[in-house]
Amino acid sequence: MINMNVMKAPALVFTILLLGGCVSFMPDYQRPEAPVDTDWPVNENPNYSIYPVEYSTASSSTAVPAASSSSATHTPTTSKTAMPAVSPYSDWRNFVRNDKLKQVVEQALYNNRDVRIAVLNILKAEAQYGSQRANLFPNIDVTASGANQRLSENINNGNSTVSRQYSVDLGITNYEIDFWGRISSLEKQALELYLSSIEGRRNTQLTLVSSVIEAYLTLMTDQALLRLANETLVSQQSSLDLTIKSFNNGVATGLDVAQAKTTVATALKDVARFTSQVNVDINALNVLVGKTVPMHLLPQASDSIQFAPIYVGMPSDVLLQRPDILAAEHELIAANANIGAARAAYFPTISLTATGGLLSASASDLFSSDSRSWVFTPALSLPIFNWGELDAREDVAIADQQIALNNYEKTIQTAFREVADALANQATLKDQVAAQQMLVDATGDSFRLSNLRFNEGVDDYFTVLDSQRSYYTAQQDLLTTKLSKELNLLTLYKVLGGGWVETDVPLPDGLDLNSE
């Protein structure tokens, strides 16, 4: 006849498991109101596009940036043709219009160590979440054991005895029933930290894409400055030769020769300086890419880079799309869940041990029907005197939640300021480039006229030297101003949260997380 107590035990265990997790002390989460204005501070209409022009590093002062001939989705009144505006959240390949640069960025996404670390952080957080989630369910284990013992004559009235016991058990050991939601709160915390790590990877890749493009543009500009320095060196060396010839013929003075030599020395110094800077730029690009960039992918004198225009929407769009803001919100939700776990610690901990199996003094009778056995051991632990430890833990959890809240709000405010700054700069940098181009043209005319007047004997060489320096400096400033304009557009694209795309990043060599 079957013992009814044996039949009731599994049902009782099952009922207790169903009751677990019916209470939660996690505070209800509501997304905090964004502590920023609803509109960008630069335009009454927040929905507008910014239209860049072609970025070229040609050193000629007469070069004029050429606009794209593609049709535009939103056409400004000041331009007849423009490229289609792209959403800042689209693939970065829609923003960058240069095949060589695209290949460099793709290599960086595949090889960069920061991206690999971000992927490993996701795998780590995923494993931690899986470990915490497993605590919601009981571990069911099978154990088999055998014990043999001989009692000596000295403790058994002069008779030695041998006892044997064999057992096979299947059951649950020390399973905490989640009546108060402590374990589910910790599981929620681990989940949100895992989701935050995913956003962290997005932010890492977004930053990498922007950094590689910035390094590439900087390299192009320094290469252009080096070409300008070489062109100036050739021109000034020729001028020095003519001045020395004039001095030998009694037309020029020794002062004229000395002044001409200063321009050659300046050009020589700049050639050396920009040669070094180009090499430094290449080294920086190699580190970002994670490997040596092939020579055929490095920028050449004839290369140009073109960016698509960006459609700038409402601030709320930025707040919903930037991965660093999403990561901060997941961390806030995780801290919120941790408060629930801290509050649940005030209540009794109920654990359960329940096993059923076979127990016999003889191995030959172990699997007989008479060897059946079971153990059901519920346990309750209620904190009474803890000297403020639980209160302190709750205070820590609340403080962590407030820290996460302020970090979330600060991240939003920082994002708003970064976009507003980029928009404000973009509005004036186009005018700066145009004004600098006018300055280049004017100083170029001044240099040519002063050189002509010197050759005619009207002015001394000091006037030529001064105008030449102004012209050379204006050409350098034009290149750096163009770079600032394009880097600002790149910054705008980045701070709007765009450019991230999923990539299959390989794990470091020798690491296999699926190995047994």
Side-chain angles (χ1 to χ4, degrees):
M1 182 175 180
I2 300 176
N3 192 329
M4 294 303 295
N5 290 329
V6 178
M7 297 296 295
K8 292 178 181 178
L12 179 60
V13 173
F14 182 71
T15 302
I16 292 176
L17 294 179
L18 288 178
L19 292 175
C22 58
V23 178
S24 175
F25 294 100
M26 280 190 297
D28 293 334
Y29 175 77
Q30 292 183 349
R31 176 178 288 172
E33 183 177 352
V36 294
D37 295 334
T38 57
D39 294 328
W40 303 119
V42 294
N43 197 301
E44 293 182 358
N45 178 14
N47 297 314
Y48 57 89
S49 298
I50 292 178
Y51 291 84
V53 294
E54 182 178 353
Y55 177 79
S56 176
T57 58
S59 60
S60 172
S61 62
T62 59
V64 179
S68 170
S69 60
S70 304
S71 59
T73 304
H74 306 281
T75 304
T77 56
T78 57
S79 176
K80 295 182 180 180
T81 59
M83 291 187 297
V86 298
S87 165
Y89 320 125
S90 64
D91 191 331
W92 59 268
R93 297 178 186 87
N94 297 327
F95 175 67
V96 178
R97 307 296 173 87
N98 181 281
D99 291 337
K100 289 168 64 173
L101 178 54
K102 287 181 181 180
Q103 293 181 56
V104 173
V105 174
E106 287 171 348
Q107 288 188 8
L109 290 173
Y110 189 82
N111 294 294
N112 182 267
R113 270 42 181 185
D114 288 335
V115 174
R116 292 188 180 185
I117 291 173
V119 172
L120 291 172
N121 283 332
I122 291 178
L123 296 177
K124 176 183 176 181
E126 182 180 13
Q128 291 173 332
Y129 167 63
S131 175
Q132 186 60 55
R133 179 173 174 78
N135 291 329
L136 290 171
F137 309 99
N139 292 331
I140 300 176
D141 303 316
V142 175
T143 60
S145 64
N148 298 273
Q149 183 180 22
R150 178 185 182 276
L151 296 178
S152 69
E153 293 87 343
N154 292 335
I155 65 170
N156 197 28
N157 298 322
N159 297 317
S160 65
T161 60
V162 176
S163 64
R164 294 180 174 87
Q165 181 176 296
Y166 302 92
S167 66
V168 176
D169 295 305
L170 173 67
I172 302 167
T173 304
N174 293 327
Y175 167 64
E176 180 181 343
I177 303 172
D178 195 25
F179 272 117
W180 320 113
R182 187 186 75 87
I183 298 177
S184 60
S185 295
L186 294 175
E187 184 263 345
K188 175 67 173 177
Q189 179 191 33
L191 173 62
E192 293 300 328
L193 293 177
Y194 164 65
L195 296 176
S196 178
S197 69
I198 293 177
E199 298 302 331
R201 177 196 178 184
R202 290 182 57 191
N203 191 58
T204 298
Q205 292 198 2
L206 185 157
T207 302
L208 177 63
V209 169
S210 176
S211 297
V212 171
I213 297 174
E214 178 179 350
Y216 203 87
L217 291 177
T218 302
L219 174 59
M220 291 183 68
T221 299
D222 286 338
Q223 287 176 333
L225 289 169
L226 176 59
R227 289 193 295 271
L228 175 61
N230 278 316
E231 292 170 2
T232 302
L233 176 60
V234 172
S235 173
Q236 293 310 307
Q237 184 63 56
S238 176
S239 178
L240 174 60
D241 294 341
L242 291 175
T243 305
I244 292 175
K245 184 180 294 186
S246 298
F247 173 75
N248 293 334
N249 293 330
V251 177
T253 66
L255 178 62
D256 295 334
V257 174
Q259 290 175 335
K261 287 181 178 180
T262 63
T263 62
V264 174
T266 300
L268 281 171
K269 181 195 71 174
D270 285 347
V271 168
R273 177 163 63 95
F274 289 122
T275 299
S276 175
Q277 190 58 49
V278 165
N279 292 328
V280 170
D281 293 341
I282 293 175
N283 293 336
L285 186 62
N286 289 337
V287 171
L288 287 172
V289 174
K291 57 181 287 188
T292 301
V293 179
M295 289 298 298
H296 71 277
L297 293 181
L298 294 176
Q300 304 299 322
S302 59
D303 290 344
S304 64
I305 295 177
Q306 198 172 19
F307 294 140
I310 303 172
Y311 176 76
V312 181
M314 298 290 288
S316 59
D317 294 335
V318 177
L319 306 184
L320 293 175
Q321 295 291 335
R322 275 187 51 144
D324 57 340
I325 294 177
L326 294 175
E329 184 174 13
H330 284 304
E331 291 174 359
L332 173 59
I333 299 174
N336 196 67
N338 194 41
I339 294 177
R343 291 175 176 174
Y346 286 101
F347 295 88
T349 298
I350 302 174
S351 60
L352 172 67
T353 296
T355 61
L358 303 171
L359 180 65
S360 174
S362 173
S364 60
D365 295 332
L366 180 60
F367 295 98
S368 66
S369 60
D370 295 333
S371 299
R372 290 175 297 176
S373 68
W374 58 267
V375 176
F376 176 68
T377 310
L380 183 145
S381 175
L382 176 64
I384 297 180
F385 297 110
N386 52 66
W387 314 107
E389 180 184 358
L390 298 181
D391 293 338
R393 288 181 181 178
E394 183 182 8
D395 291 343
V396 169
I398 293 174
D400 285 341
Q401 189 268 348
Q402 289 297 306
I403 292 172
L405 172 61
N406 283 274
N407 181 64
Y408 173 69
E409 292 178 340
K410 179 182 177 182
T411 304
I412 292 176
Q413 291 175 335
T414 301
F416 185 88
R417 180 187 60 80
E418 288 175 345
V419 176
D421 288 349
L423 290 174
N425 291 332
Q426 193 69 26
T428 61
L429 280 169
K430 181 179 180 180
D431 293 336
Q432 292 182 39
V433 171
Q436 189 63 38
Q437 182 66 61
M438 292 176 58
L439 182 60
V440 168
D441 295 340
T443 54
D445 290 340
S446 175
F447 172 58
R448 285 186 288 272
L449 290 174
S450 62
N451 197 45
L452 179 62
R453 289 170 63 85
F454 170 73
N455 292 333
E456 295 294 330
V458 178
D459 288 335
D460 57 17
Y461 196 75
F462 178 79
T463 303
V464 178
L465 177 63
D466 184 63
S467 60
Q468 188 275 333
R469 287 173 177 170
S470 298
Y471 180 46
Y472 180 45
T473 301
Q475 288 177 298
Q476 290 178 321
D477 290 344
L478 177 61
L479 289 171
T480 56
T481 304
K482 286 182 178 180
L483 175 63
S484 297
K485 178 177 179 295
E486 298 308 315
L487 289 183
N488 184 76
L489 183 66
L490 175 63
T491 298
L492 179 62
Y493 186 64
K494 172 189 173 183
V495 298
L496 285 172
W500 179 85
V501 292
E502 186 69 40
T503 56
D504 294 327
V505 179
L507 295 177
D509 294 338
L511 179 61
D512 183 6
L513 297 183
N514 295 319
S515 61
E516 295 296 333

